Amino acid sequence: MTGKFATNVCEPESGIAQTAMADIVHAVLSAGEFALFTEFGRHRPLRAGEHLFLRNQSGSTMYVIVTGGIELDFGEDLVVKTLGPHEFFGELGLLIGDHPRSADARATTDSLVLELDNADFQRLVDRDPGLVAYFLRRTIMRVVSNEQVLIRQLRRRNHDLETALDNLYVTTHQLTHTRELVRTDELTGLHNRRGLALYLQECRSHEGDAPQGLLLIDCDHFKQVNDEHGHQAGDRVLQSIANILRSVANEQDRACRLGGDEFCLLLRVADADSLQHAAEFILGAVHGLMGRSNLQPHVCPVSIGVCLIDPLGDWSDWYARADNALYQAKRLGGNRLHWSRSATVAP
């Protein structure tokens, strides 16, 4: 019984407290407050659509709506408030003085408002300090409540912004990944023909930055590997060749799979000696892997066409010269390098 009685007593007290808090935060003046403010305020008529003040404009007066309505627009995506008769606004301008307005105030209909400045407010205090003290308490609570709402809105906006940035990061990452997929050979990870074309465009956009040497590499008897050991073994051979080319190329060079079992290596900085060394390295690495192969081949012999590049030429000219040298290497039995006849040095 005692517990039940205590509960019945507490609930009305809690309800009274909540009602009192709602009254404090509410922006409508009581009858007594409105009568007091009317005694000292000056009437100001407004036409529908007329602005009382603009956001960020300094002000030192507060207003009470007598008739009509006022719309407070805080800008951006904040909630627009519409106030009616006996509601007040702009009180911070009165209490602080020259306070930047936080919203645009516009009459929604033909309206009449009371305007009070600091001198008017002082007369209010002298006339009824108790009523004004209650009004100030309610004003402070209202400001705190509005600030809490604003903080929640800003936090939500910040969260939305962080989400948007995260989505932008993911999208950028996906676009970058897609771009790499477009220019990259899926099996070997080397550049494909599109990647090679983009690389050549980038080189031509920087004057004097064209590649200087080209190796055209083709697998010998690759069809036999596929026929005898299957396409998985063929894929493994192509991946091994790609790894060898990748180990030769530096950051400025480009190793590419042109298609099938044909590869190329473009060297940005090269002379006859460095091209000879690169081709011999590839042949040596291939021979080394072949010596370690058991029943399943990990690599197959390659033929290499070598040429120095004329920076004034284009890819079709370079390819034709290297391809002719590659053909000669194949005709001589493969598993060797051969220089283009137009090369300045033919070792």
Side-chain angles (χ1 to χ4, degrees):
M1 289 293 293
T2 303
K4 182 177 180 180
F5 177 77
T7 301
N8 291 336
V9 171
C10 290
E11 286 179 350
E13 290 181 349
S14 175
I16 292 172
Q18 292 176 358
T19 302
M21 181 61 69
D23 289 340
I24 288 174
V25 176
H26 199 37
V28 176
L29 295 178
S30 66
E33 290 172 330
F34 183 74
L36 181 63
F37 278 62
T38 301
E39 183 178 349
F40 294 99
R42 292 172 303 282
H43 287 84
R44 177 172 174 177
L46 296 170
R47 297 186 304 274
E50 182 180 351
H51 278 87
L52 190 58
F53 54 74
L54 299 177
R55 188 165 54 252
N56 295 323
Q57 179 182 340
S58 294
S60 57
T61 54
M62 71 165 285
Y63 302 91
V64 179
I65 302 174
V66 180
T67 60
I70 299 294
E71 179 184 81
L72 299 179
D73 184 357
F74 295 88
E76 300 182 5
D77 58 349
L78 301 178
V79 176
V80 176
K81 292 184 178 180
T82 302
L83 307 181
H86 292 203
E87 291 192 84
F88 62 91
F89 58 96
E91 63 275 15
L92 286 180
L94 176 65
L95 300 177
I96 298 175
D98 291 329
H99 178 69
R101 304 296 190 182
S102 57
D104 295 339
R106 185 182 66 87
T108 56
T109 63
D110 290 343
S111 304
L112 181 65
V113 299
L114 290 174
E115 187 176 50
L116 298 102
D117 58 20
N118 189 263
D120 300 324
F121 190 74
Q122 185 59 49
R123 287 194 289 270
L124 290 175
V125 174
D126 294 338
R127 173 63 63 86
D128 194 336
L131 191 60
V132 174
Y134 179 76
F135 168 77
L136 290 176
R137 181 188 176 202
R138 183 169 52 178
T139 298
I140 292 172
M141 293 299 297
R142 181 167 170 249
V143 170
V144 171
S145 176
N146 288 339
E147 289 297 321
Q148 290 174 342
V149 171
L150 179 60
I151 289 172
R152 286 195 295 270
Q153 290 177 334
L154 292 176
R155 284 177 176 171
R156 183 164 57 249
R157 185 189 302 173
N158 185 59
H159 174 73
D160 293 341
L161 179 60
E162 289 178 349
T163 301
L165 290 175
D166 289 341
N167 292 337
L168 179 61
Y169 172 79
V170 171
T171 301
T172 302
H173 177 75
Q174 290 174 341
L175 288 175
T176 302
H177 181 62
T178 301
R179 181 186 178 191
E180 289 303 314
L181 289 178
V182 167
R183 65 169 65 193
T184 302
D185 176 61
E186 184 177 1
L187 176 64
T188 63
L190 299 181
H191 275 57
N192 54 22
R193 284 186 176 272
R194 179 172 178 79
L196 174 63
L198 293 173
Y199 169 74
L200 294 174
Q201 289 178 7
E202 293 169 1
C203 290
R204 292 196 178 280
S205 65
H206 299 83
E207 187 175 351
D209 207 20
Q212 297 179 348
L214 172 62
L215 303 181
L216 200 59
I217 304 102
D218 192 82
C219 295
D220 297 331
H221 313 299
F222 180 72
K223 183 176 183 303
Q224 184 177 345
V225 174
N226 279 332
D227 292 344
E228 295 182 3
H229 302 281
H231 288 283
Q232 287 187 343
D235 289 347
R236 186 166 57 248
V237 167
L238 297 176
Q239 290 167 343
S240 296
I241 300 297
N243 289 334
I244 294 173
L245 297 183
R246 192 178 288 110
S247 68
V248 177
N250 60 34
E251 293 183 358
Q252 294 181 314
D253 304 331
R254 248 343 147 256
C256 307
R257 182 189 178 197
L258 300 178
D261 59 337
E262 185 180 23
F263 298 82
C264 79
L265 178 61
L266 274 167
L267 301 180
R268 182 69 68 88
V269 179
D271 55 20
D273 289 338
S274 61
L275 283 175
Q276 180 77 16
H277 175 76
E280 289 178 348
F281 178 88
I282 294 170
L283 290 173
V286 167
H287 294 161
L289 285 177
M290 290 177 62
R292 292 198 297 270
S293 297
N294 296 320
L295 296 178
Q296 290 290 330
H298 292 280
V299 76
C300 67
V302 297
S303 297
I304 305 175
V306 186
C307 73
L308 287 167
I309 287 175
D310 177 10
L312 300 179
D314 56 30
W315 167 252
S316 59
D317 295 332
W318 304 341
Y319 181 86
R321 289 174 51 202
D323 187 56
N324 181 67
L326 176 63
Y327 172 78
Q328 296 300 326
K330 291 278 191 181
R331 191 176 64 83
L332 294 172
N335 191 26
R336 69 184 65 224
L337 68 90
H338 195 83
W339 276 82
S340 168
R341 290 184 179 178
S342 58
T344 55
V345 179

